[in-house]
Amino acid sequence: MTALASLRRIGLPRLVVHISVLVICILWLIPTFGILVTSFREPQQIIASGWWTAMTGSSQTTAVRMADGSAARQEGDRYVISGSVFEAGQAGRVQAFGTKVTAPSEYKVGEPADLGEGETLTVAEDGSYTYTKTAPFETGRGKRVYLTVSTPPAFTTQNYQAVLTSQGIGQSFVNSLTVAIPSTIIPILIAAFAAYALSWMEFPGRALILAMVVGLMVVPLQMSLIPLLKMYNDVGALFGLPSRSYAGVWLAHSAFGMPLAIYLLRNYISGLPKEIIESARVDGASDFEIFIKLILPLSFPALASFAIFQFLWTWNDLLVAMVFLGTGRDQLVLTGALNALLGSQGGKWEILTASAFVTIIVPIAVFFVLQRYLVRGLLSGSVKGG
Amino acid sequence: MISQLVSAFGAVIAGVFLCALYYWLSDKLLQLVFPVRDGDGDVRVASRNLARRASVRPWLFLGPALLLLGIYLVYPVVATFILSFYDRSGTTFVGGANYAWAINDAQFRQAIFNNILWLAVVPAACTFFGLVIAVMTDRIWWGNIAKSLIFMPMAISFVGASVIWKFIYEYKGGKETQIGLLNAIVQFFGGDPQVWISMPFWNNFFLMAILIWIQTGFAMVILSAALRGIPEETVEAAVIDGANGWQIFWKIMVPQIWGTIAVVWTTITILVLKVFDIVLTMTNGQWNTMVLANLMFDWMFRGGGDSGRSAVIALVIMAAVTPIMIWNIRQANRQSEGH
């Protein structure tokens, strides 16, 4: 039994805990859930009502004109115009109607409304109306009627189709993959070799290098930007290459992830049983062979932890990509594209929410599938106190 | 698009292959330069060569990593320091002029003030919520699911999170329906909708909420692991002595995880000092929300870029991080001595 288990018997009533945690979970999920729902709604509905009403549909007040007098037919002593307030293909339910703008929902649906001067108007829930008059109708413009219409919940994948093609999110998705995959994999081997040297090889300066790695873990990226930008420009000019390229971003991400990679892997590799490595040495294996045949396979969990961190970090990064890859339309990664859309399409929530969801879907999938490794990495990555 | 992905995978394969080739070739070269033959060779030469190999090999293993760290992290720190004494193009020495500018610049002071505000609120809020949630979720059967959900925003980019929250803070003028959740709630309780992100001073807190939302999960995971590591006897003893749940939490459990709380606090502090994406996407520093990292980025490109001024701002961030860096190194040293 753990300490927490024994606390369980004496602490707050269990029900309070259940409810509090439930409330916190809902609070934490609502923001993401909101954009998920919104990204599947139709643009008109998004601005007409909050996403939390998406399931109940939205209700709006609109005005339409009925057919004019030329469409009237005579039935007995009354003249009748009938039709539908909806255009073909339009769906909705009329909740109330009126004929004056000051009272747009004066009358109930389905009941004949007496408009005076021998006129009555009935509007049914499905939108069909019957307008009668004891005298002939005037021709010309039809009478205006105000309606409170509830639109049924309607969901669409249009927004996704739009952002993936016309808004360039599809291209950015590919750019993000192009940045993230090499930047995740290339540093692993380099860091693993270094971590092995720092764990199982004796040499002068080892403690110093280790201290330097720990120190470099927290150096702000901002310190590196100006000199590196100058260096990239100089190197580019020297060899006639563009100063902003994927290769440059891969190297930058690899280097910025290096301190954490070395630290994580060293923590793990130095904790491997000494006997295995020593018996391999006695059998005449060189350090190189020991590393390839023993250390790499054994450190898989730590390698996976780092790979997840690095992938999330490179996929979600905005600063490095903006500085070293540029902000042209073709070079934007997903985060950059989303940032640009916030500027150019601000307020067009169907585009923003769908784009945001495309951006976050990959890391969230990675997170849920590989959470175990992520947590393990977090626990060994933070310098433990005490 | 396809060709771009193919080239990315090509880069992965080429990169891994080149790295592997380097380590393999350098090892072979080492054996060639310092040969050790079985049986017929001079034993003293052989053992001397073995020792030489052993002294060179660590540097071969470390070489590429040190090269990357040197070029991308160590050299820039030195270069930024030097650049801070030069003019906007980095060619003319101007002494402390950039520092003098910073002290007298209203926007710089604003950024410092806002950063301090962020530092005062975000690490404390994340640690507090993280601790409370960790304690609660450890006591219920579906705690792991709850933790997963609260931890999830960690995977979301700051830009993505900004869009998510911008939608919550959305304001519609006039008689339009409020589609932002916050304004809808305010309206529901009879209040007037507000333009939250352009409300000076208070808008900082609306931006901080985003980072707190992202980072609480991190604090929760680490603190939860620490809570599980508390020896049961200490709590049992307190129970026998008649302590109540509140006393046990504050007087028995929290003191035992101070070290971990400090780690969580400092990790988030470092993150807060570097906060950039959220401010860029939410306000771009308008309405008095400027922070140091954004001001620095701004000066990197403003009017063709001013490397001197932005170097000064970067150094201020660096100076703020340095005490934590030293503390981290000490902790790591103590830990490896204990190994």
Side-chain angles (χ1 to χ4, degrees):
Chain A
M1 197 168 67
T2 65
L4 286 159
S6 51
L7 185 67
R8 197 170 282 171
R9 288 176 309 193
I10 41 155
L12 291 165
R14 188 76 71 83
L15 190 65
V16 177
V17 176
H18 276 287
I19 293 171
S20 318
V21 175
L22 191 67
V23 168
I24 293 170
C25 281
I26 291 171
L27 214 62
W28 242 254
L29 272 185
I30 273 185
T32 320
F33 188 67
I35 68 146
L36 174 64
V37 171
T38 305
S39 70
F40 285 106
R41 297 179 80 202
E42 281 172 359
Q44 307 91 313
Q45 294 215 339
I46 294 173
I47 36 172
S49 64
W51 61 267
W52 50 93
T53 63
M55 287 300 159
T56 56
S58 59
S59 78
Q60 278 170 281
T61 302
T62 56
V64 292
R65 278 187 191 282
M66 294 187 285
D68 70 304
S70 59
R73 21 174 234 287
Q74 201 174 355
E75 285 179 9
D77 58 344
R78 302 182 79 86
Y79 295 83
V80 179
I81 302 176
S82 58
S84 173
V85 293
F86 295 130
E87 286 163 29
Q90 198 185 345
R93 272 178 31 238
V94 181
Q95 290 176 318
F97 66 98
T99 52
K100 291 188 281 279
V101 71
T102 48
S105 47
E106 196 178 354
Y107 309 113
K108 284 185 187 164
V109 284
E111 292 171 15
D114 185 359
L115 306 182
E117 296 175 26
E119 294 184 19
T120 58
L121 177 61
T122 317
V123 181
E125 204 179 57
D126 65 358
S128 60
Y129 64 85
T130 317
Y131 183 28
T132 66
K133 197 176 180 181
T134 46
F137 286 102
E138 289 160 29
T139 50
R141 301 220 299 182
K143 190 173 177 61
R144 190 187 280 273
V145 59
Y146 298 92
L147 304 159
T148 306
V149 179
S150 73
T151 328
F155 295 100
T156 171
T157 54
Q158 253 176 23
N159 303 335
Y160 284 94
Q161 284 165 13
V163 297
L164 286 176
T165 53
S166 59
Q167 298 295 337
I169 291 292
Q171 173 68 44
S172 292
F173 193 90
V174 174
N175 291 351
S176 275
L177 278 178
T178 311
V179 167
I181 295 172
S183 306
T184 303
I185 296 173
I186 291 173
I188 291 179
L189 198 61
I190 298 176
F193 267 102
Y196 176 74
L198 289 172
S199 311
W200 294 103
M201 291 170 149
E202 293 291 341
F203 61 93
R206 192 172 88 158
L208 192 70
I209 292 180
L210 205 57
M212 186 186 80
V213 167
V214 173
L216 289 178
M217 274 205 296
V218 301
V219 166
L221 213 54
Q222 279 78 12
M223 288 297 283
S224 297
L225 296 180
I226 309 167
L228 285 180
L229 199 60
K230 278 189 196 293
M231 188 165 72
Y232 272 35
N233 286 335
D234 292 346
V235 171
L238 194 64
F239 295 102
L241 296 166
S243 57
R244 290 172 161 178
S245 65
Y246 283 109
V249 177
W250 294 333
L251 280 173
H253 272 314
S254 299
F256 294 143
M258 197 53 64
L260 178 70
I262 296 176
Y263 185 75
L264 272 184
L265 295 178
R266 197 207 90 100
N267 272 359
Y268 191 87
I269 291 174
S270 67
L272 291 173
K274 206 174 178 180
E275 297 76 35
I276 302 182
I277 289 144
E278 276 175 357
S279 67
R281 276 194 184 141
V282 170
D283 290 346
S286 74
D287 277 309
F288 185 76
E289 287 163 339
I290 292 174
F291 178 79
I292 295 291
K293 290 181 183 157
L294 273 176
I295 305 291
L296 270 190
L298 281 175
S299 345
F300 177 78
L303 300 179
S305 290
F306 168 72
I308 295 164
F309 267 112
Q310 180 76 353
F311 180 80
L312 290 181
W313 153 244
T314 51
W315 183 274
N316 288 339
D317 158 77
L318 175 68
L319 186 57
V320 174
M322 262 170 100
V323 174
F324 295 116
L325 199 55
T327 48
R329 222 180 137 81
D330 297 342
Q331 303 134 345
L332 281 178
V333 292
L334 278 173
T335 47
L338 196 55
N339 184 39
L341 284 179
L342 266 174
S344 65
Q345 307 281 343
K348 284 198 176 173
W349 287 107
E350 67 280 6
I351 289 173
L352 291 176
T353 53
S355 307
F357 217 77
V358 172
T359 311
I360 68 179
I361 191 72
V362 172
I364 285 186
V366 168
F367 170 83
F368 277 116
V369 174
L370 302 169
Q371 200 181 156
R372 199 157 45 98
Y373 294 107
L374 186 71
V375 170
R376 191 181 311 189
L378 266 187
L379 293 180
S380 61
S382 44
V383 186
K384 289 188 195 70
Chain B
M1 279 196 206
I2 300 296
S3 67
Q4 193 183 327
L5 275 185
V6 169
S7 67
F9 282 110
V12 169
I13 293 164
V16 171
F17 178 75
L18 280 179
C19 288
L21 193 70
Y22 158 81
Y23 291 110
W24 185 75
L25 272 185
S26 64
D27 202 62
K28 281 274 169 275
L29 198 68
L30 192 66
Q31 290 177 23
L32 218 66
V33 174
F34 302 117
V36 180
R37 259 178 242 98
D38 283 332
D40 56 325
D42 185 343
V43 177
R44 272 186 309 167
V45 172
S47 70
R48 200 185 61 209
N49 277 357
L50 264 181
R52 279 182 179 161
R53 271 193 208 173
S55 66
V56 173
R57 192 178 275 123
W59 300 102
L60 294 179
F61 277 27
L62 280 167
L66 290 183
L67 195 69
L68 277 176
L69 291 178
I71 293 174
Y72 281 86
L73 288 164
V74 179
Y75 154 74
V77 169
V78 179
T80 301
F81 184 71
I82 295 170
L83 276 172
S84 73
F85 296 103
Y86 281 80
D87 71 339
R88 56 186 305 130
S89 58
T91 47
T92 318
F93 184 79
V94 293
N98 291 319
Y99 291 88
W101 160 81
I103 293 167
N104 294 314
D105 186 61
Q107 209 178 14
F108 178 81
R109 286 191 203 162
Q110 174 83 56
I112 293 266
F113 174 77
N114 287 342
N115 261 104
I116 291 172
L117 212 57
W118 279 75
L119 285 177
V121 174
V122 177
C126 292
T127 313
F128 176 75
F129 288 135
L131 188 57
V132 170
I133 296 170
V135 169
M136 288 200 296
T137 49
D138 275 331
R139 299 172 60 195
I140 51 178
W141 60 267
W142 51 284
N144 279 337
I145 302 168
K147 271 193 212 165
S148 231
L149 295 178
I150 293 165
F151 193 30
M152 185 203 66
M154 264 279 295
I156 296 177
S157 62
F158 287 171
V159 184
S162 297
V163 172
I164 291 172
W165 282 82
K166 212 167 189 175
F167 191 47
I168 289 190
Y169 298 146
E170 174 76 348
Y171 168 81
K172 290 276 183 198
K175 285 189 173 156
E176 285 180 83
T177 322
Q178 297 298 333
I179 59 167
L181 189 60
L182 187 58
N183 273 327
I185 292 172
V186 165
Q187 214 168 28
F188 179 79
F189 287 108
D192 285 327
Q194 303 287 334
V195 195
W196 304 107
I197 59 168
S198 62
M199 213 190 253
F201 185 69
W202 298 108
N203 51 8
N204 282 304
F205 295 92
F206 292 112
L207 302 196
M208 289 177 207
I210 303 172
L211 195 57
I212 294 171
W213 179 68
I214 294 174
Q215 285 297 318
T216 296
F218 161 78
M220 175 198 69
V221 165
I222 307 254
L223 292 170
S224 168
L227 285 172
R228 279 162 198 257
I230 292 177
E232 189 209 330
E233 301 80 46
T234 57
V235 178
E236 286 285 308
V239 174
I240 292 165
D241 289 346
N244 63 30
W246 194 250
Q247 286 172 323
I248 289 175
F249 179 70
W250 285 110
K251 294 192 174 154
I252 308 292
M253 293 169 88
V254 169
Q256 294 194 67
I257 58 165
W258 267 128
T260 312
I261 292 178
V263 169
V264 169
W265 198 292
T266 51
T267 307
I268 299 176
T269 298
I270 291 166
L271 188 79
V272 166
L273 280 168
K274 298 190 269 189
V275 67
F276 166 78
D277 308 25
I278 293 177
V279 176
L280 182 83
T281 44
M282 291 297 282
T283 62
N284 199 10
Q286 286 171 282
W287 307 297
N288 301 345
T289 53
M290 191 55 100
V291 293
L292 287 171
N294 289 76
L295 191 62
M296 187 255 163
F297 183 80
D298 212 31
W299 278 109
M300 262 179 84
F301 298 105
R302 189 191 284 185
D306 188 325
S307 63
R309 288 180 180 179
S310 55
V312 168
I313 302 167
L315 279 169
V316 173
I317 304 175
M318 183 69 199
V321 168
T322 306
I324 299 173
M325 183 198 261
I326 293 168
W327 184 76
N328 270 359
I329 293 174
R330 283 203 183 147
Q331 293 291 327
N333 278 346
R334 200 178 300 166
Q335 206 181 328
S336 62
E337 276 162 22
H339 248 283

